[in-house]
Amino acid sequence: MALTMLVGFGITAQAQTPWDYYRIRRQQEELRRQEELRRQQEQQYQIYQQNDRYQQNDRWQNDRWRGRGRSSDGYPNWGGGYELRQTALNAGYNEGARAGRSDRNRRGTYGYSGYGTDFNRFSSYRNATKDFNGRFGDRELYRRYFQMAFQNGYADGLRGY
């Protein structure tokens, strides 16, 4: 029995060394870090799920899976042929960039001094038929693509891109 008490005290005494204290402390800190990381991941996952619910109600998100959403260039795909879409996007962007650079050179800024938000003051935006060809198909679809690209081009031209 005396041997048991000696061995028992020896083990207890060993657990109380400074090295064991620091090892146990590091383990506790690591467990806290892991718990905090788990909480953060859970919060991020909840935010992701909440955003996912919003995206399920988003018309463009739903259309994308049916082939009618946004393509890799960031513009919506409302249909029409490739040539119609590309020609309208290129022509609209170039016209918008030209108009934006013109306003920038006159010291205008986006949404300031009458520049920016009123695109209808540009005849090329109103008409939206530059480079249109009847063989492309639907003129109104061409105009939608053209005007959307015009707005992006205008913003880039105004910023000096």
Side-chain angles (χ1 to χ4, degrees):
M1 184 151 146
L3 183 61
T4 307
M5 287 183 71
L6 256 176
V7 173
F9 285 125
I11 293 172
T12 306
Q14 284 179 353
Q16 298 301 321
T17 65
W19 296 111
D20 288 337
Y21 172 76
Y22 291 121
R23 181 180 53 82
I24 291 169
R25 185 96 188 251
R26 280 194 314 263
Q27 287 174 348
Q28 289 172 343
E29 288 175 5
E30 182 62 28
L31 287 173
R32 277 191 219 114
R33 278 191 219 111
Q34 289 175 357
E35 181 63 24
E36 181 63 27
L37 180 63
R38 187 193 62 76
R39 277 193 210 119
Q40 288 175 353
Q41 288 173 340
E42 186 175 315
Q43 287 174 348
Q44 289 173 350
Y45 182 70
Q46 288 173 351
I47 291 170
Y48 168 77
Q49 283 183 324
Q50 186 178 18
N51 289 340
D52 192 43
R53 278 187 229 114
Y54 292 135
Q55 288 176 354
Q56 287 174 358
N57 295 329
D58 184 10
R59 182 178 66 182
W60 297 117
Q61 182 72 16
N62 289 338
D63 284 349
R64 183 175 74 183
W65 301 116
R66 286 180 263 153
R68 305 257 320 164
R70 294 186 183 272
S71 64
S72 61
D73 60 9
Y75 291 100
N77 185 1
W78 292 313
Y82 175 79
E83 194 173 8
L84 175 140
R85 186 174 185 278
Q86 285 306 119
T87 304
L89 292 176
N90 290 337
Y93 185 88
N94 292 336
E95 285 295 308
R98 185 176 298 118
R101 282 192 300 269
S102 173
D103 280 355
R104 182 173 179 262
N105 291 337
R106 288 188 278 152
R107 302 283 186 237
T109 59
Y110 193 72
Y112 175 74
S113 301
Y115 301 128
T117 55
D118 184 21
F119 296 109
N120 284 322
R121 65 190 175 93
F122 299 103
S123 63
S124 58
Y125 180 83
R126 284 191 310 270
N127 297 334
T129 55
K130 181 174 173 53
D131 294 342
F132 177 76
N133 190 327
R135 65 185 166 87
F136 291 159
D138 187 9
R139 182 183 301 261
E140 284 306 308
L141 184 59
Y142 184 91
R143 292 184 76 230
R144 286 175 67 188
Y145 282 129
F146 184 97
Q147 289 175 342
M148 180 172 284
F150 184 96
Q151 293 173 8
N152 289 335
Y154 181 86
D156 287 349
L158 203 55
R159 286 188 294 251
Y161 296 132

